Amino acid sequence: MMDGPVKRESEPGESGGGRARAPNPAVFFGRFLVYVGERFARDGCQQRAAALTFTSLLAMVPLLAVSFAIFAAFPAYESLQTKVQDYIFENFVPQVGTQVQAHIETFMAQTGRLSAVGVVFLALSAVLLLSTINSTLNLIWQTRQTRGLVMRLMVFWSVLTLTPLLFGASISLSSVLFAAAQASGVESLTGNLTRFAFVLPFLFQAAGLTVLFLVMPAASVRRRDAVMGGLVAAVLLEGLKKGFGFYVTHFPTYETIYGVMATIPIFLMWVYLSWMVILFGAEVAAALPEWRAGARRIGREGLPPVKRLTAALAVLNALARASRTGDTLSERRLARASKLGPDALGYATRRLARKKYIERSARNRWVLSRDLESVTLAQLHRDLDLDLGPAIPTAHLRTAWGRRLAEAVDRLETAEDEAMGMTLKTLLAPPDVGEERIPEADAMDEDHGPSRAGFNARVLALIGLGTLGQAS
């Protein structure tokens, strides 16, 4: 049940007198960061980062072993293996990269002695890391729609096979371009181009994180949101590398306590902080559609009642508008048409589907499954569990105050039925003119059966299989 009058949330920059002012960009961005921080805390990202750190330690050697085995499958790439390995540890692991690299090389050398069963368990630990990343991003995007086992394995396979190939190709191409620039004499005009080499790790980080936020979650993510999240995470990682390197160099606390073993806690701390930054970038990407939809604060116990009712009506309204033209809506088009963020949209679709108001078609699109003329607003209110709930316990009904409370509740429910007695069809009827159009489908929408993200995963997996098959 909704208590008190329903109030409209004021937008940043809106004064009490109703006159809108242009918001200060710094204040607006600061409020958004506060919103992302609240989301970060709500989703328990600190604990998630700790779990990912532990899983990363188990899976690091298997992941690198698989990646470098892929390099070995391509004669043209085999010479890049050492260069790529040095590049990773020099640019992405500050201060202790050399020591960590030496240990990992020793561990990887032992993988060749494993039996077939050992190799299987080694691969499973790599899949465990990818699965943990997948479940964490699904939590951040508030999606309970998970991919099937085959689809998840395809996504993991495409990440395992294509990432090292594209990374090696990027390093090789950048080396060729720098060499060509030096040979052409253009450096006489631009100066030494190698001073811009620091840009490459940043671009690799941003591109890799963008793809991670696009491919891994079982949700429809806008490209620009994924790019913003990837850029934010990449910028924070660069700052973290500088700050962490400065701390380790000037405040050798771990060396004083642990001596020669200091590499272990330093590396653990670095992996943990890196995952914190990556998850913050994911929160940015997931929060952007909510922020555009008007969300300004995070509820600690979920959406408040009025927002639950509003989200359900927004979804029903979007699907009713689409049904008038014989259209159905993908997850992404529904989000755009209803102007809801992932959290509110996920709640509304789950609840309405459970109560048989909506359902997925054979093409994986949302459609209405109930005649809105036969359902009142009061019935929807009860189906969303927004009323007072079950009856007063019998033991309390025997008391005088219990009977008086029951009478008051009956009067309240009667008043609610009268106030919300209109049908949903009447409530959601289009205006005479000026009805907002449903957003058109674009390349990111599902067009044929499975989701577009699933189609992309299959294509990437087949490309990975094809390249490895050709190499062998």
Side-chain angles (χ1 to χ4, degrees), residues 106-178:
T106 302
F107 298 150
M108 288 175 59
Q110 307 300 322
T111 58
R113 303 179 183 178
L114 293 176
S115 62
V117 176
V119 171
V120 169
F121 278 98
L122 199 68
L124 285 177
S125 62
V127 172
L128 176 63
L129 173 60
L130 297 175
S131 179
T132 306
I133 296 172
N134 179 251
S135 62
T136 301
L137 294 182
N138 283 340
L139 172 71
I140 289 174
W141 262 272
Q142 296 292 310
T143 178
R144 297 185 183 180
Q145 178 192 357
T146 59
R147 299 186 180 102
L149 178 61
V150 174
M151 187 60 63
R152 275 182 286 173
L153 291 177
M154 284 185 175
V155 173
F156 299 163
W157 174 253
S158 63
V159 171
L160 285 174
T161 55
L162 294 182
T163 299
L165 295 179
L166 295 177
F167 192 73
S170 300
I171 293 179
S172 179
L173 180 61
S174 61
S175 302
V176 171
L177 291 178
F178 275 121

Side-chain angles (χ1 to χ4, degrees), residues 3 41 100 134 415 418:
D3 298 326
V100 172
N134 179 251
E418 292 177 358

Side-chain angles (χ1 to χ4, degrees), residues 84-105:
V84 170
Q85 191 169 328
D86 294 339
Y87 187 88
I88 290 173
F89 286 100
E90 288 174 5
N91 289 280
F92 300 112
V93 184
Q95 301 304 318
V96 295
T98 303
Q99 298 95 313
V100 172
Q101 181 180 358
H103 290 303
I104 289 181
E105 286 177 347

Side-chain angles (χ1 to χ4, degrees), residues 376-378 411-423 427:
T376 64
L377 180 59
R411 290 194 298 270
L412 178 61
E413 291 179 345
T414 301
E416 282 186 348
D417 287 339
E418 292 177 358
M420 296 191 291
M422 70 176 70
T423 66
L427 177 67

Side-chain angles (χ1 to χ4, degrees), residues 53-390:
T53 300
F54 175 75
T55 313
S56 298
L57 293 179
L58 295 177
M60 187 170 298
V61 171
L63 281 175
L64 291 176
V66 171
S67 299
F68 292 140
I70 293 173
F71 277 120
F74 292 84
Y77 279 84
E78 193 169 5
S79 60
L80 281 174
Q81 177 173 335
T82 303
K83 185 184 295 186
V84 170
Q85 191 169 328
D86 294 339
Y87 187 88
I88 290 173
F89 286 100
E90 288 174 5
N91 289 280
F92 300 112
V93 184
Q95 301 304 318
V96 295
T98 303
Q99 298 95 313
V100 172
Q101 181 180 358
H103 290 303
I104 289 181
E105 286 177 347
T106 302
F107 298 150
M108 288 175 59
Q110 307 300 322
T111 58
R113 303 179 183 178
L114 293 176
S115 62
V117 176
V119 171
V120 169
F121 278 98
L122 199 68
L124 285 177
S125 62
V127 172
L128 176 63
L129 173 60
L130 297 175
S131 179
T132 306
I133 296 172
N134 179 251
S135 62
T136 301
L137 294 182
N138 283 340
L139 172 71
I140 289 174
W141 262 272
Q142 296 292 310
T143 178
R144 297 185 183 180
Q145 178 192 357
T146 59
R147 299 186 180 102
L149 178 61
V150 174
M151 187 60 63
R152 275 182 286 173
L153 291 177
M154 284 185 175
V155 173
F156 299 163
W157 174 253
S158 63
V159 171
L160 285 174
T161 55
L162 294 182
T163 299
L165 295 179
L166 295 177
F167 192 73
S170 300
I171 293 179
S172 179
L173 180 61
S174 61
S175 302
V176 171
L177 291 178
F178 275 121
Q182 291 173 345
S184 65
V186 72
E187 288 188 331
S188 61
L189 300 176
T190 61
N192 188 1
L193 290 177
T194 56
R195 62 184 175 177
F196 297 108
F198 74 93
V199 177
L200 292 176
F202 174 80
L203 294 179
F204 289 152
Q205 285 176 173
L209 292 170
T210 298
V211 173
L212 180 71
F213 299 155
L214 273 174
V215 175
M216 274 294 188
S220 179
V221 184
R222 284 190 178 185
R223 284 187 293 265
R224 64 180 181 180
D225 294 343
V227 169
M228 285 299 300
L231 285 174
V232 168
V235 169
L236 292 178
L237 276 175
E238 286 299 313
L240 177 63
K241 281 191 286 187
K242 301 297 182 184
F244 194 77
F246 179 83
Y247 171 77
V248 172
T249 303
H250 293 81
F251 302 95
T253 306
Y254 287 104
E255 287 87 342
T256 303
I257 297 175
Y258 294 99
V260 295
M261 301 291 292
T263 301
I264 298 175
I266 291 175
F267 183 64
L268 278 174
M269 183 61 66
W270 165 251
V271 175
Y272 174 70
L273 293 176
S274 298
W275 275 120
M276 290 270 285
V277 166
I278 293 171
L279 295 184
F280 187 84
E283 292 285 358
V284 168
L288 280 170
E290 296 177 352
W291 188 260
R292 287 194 298 267
R296 294 297 181 264
R297 55 181 67 91
I298 296 293
R300 294 296 177 184
E301 298 180 357
L303 294 170
V306 68
K307 288 192 175 181
R308 288 184 235 167
L309 182 60
T310 303
L313 288 171
V315 168
L316 292 174
N317 181 53
L319 293 176
R321 285 156 51 199
S323 67
R324 286 194 282 271
T325 60
D327 199 3
T328 57
L329 298 183
S330 66
E331 193 87 19
R332 185 165 185 264
R333 286 182 69 198
L334 180 58
R336 292 162 59 196
S338 61
K339 297 182 174 62
L340 296 174
D343 196 3
L345 181 65
Y347 163 80
T349 52
R350 287 193 304 270
R351 194 73 189 186
L352 292 174
R354 189 182 310 159
K355 294 296 181 177
K356 308 300 182 185
Y357 283 82
I358 63 175
E359 64 183 7
R360 286 189 181 272
S361 68
R363 298 176 61 193
N364 203 37
R365 293 168 176 253
W366 287 111
V367 295
L368 287 174
S369 59
R370 184 182 290 192
D371 182 11
L372 299 184
E373 180 66 39
S374 63
V375 185
T376 64
L377 180 59
Q379 180 62 47
L380 176 65
H381 188 260
R382 287 190 291 270
D383 286 341
L384 296 177
D385 292 336
L386 300 179
D387 56 357
L388 289 178

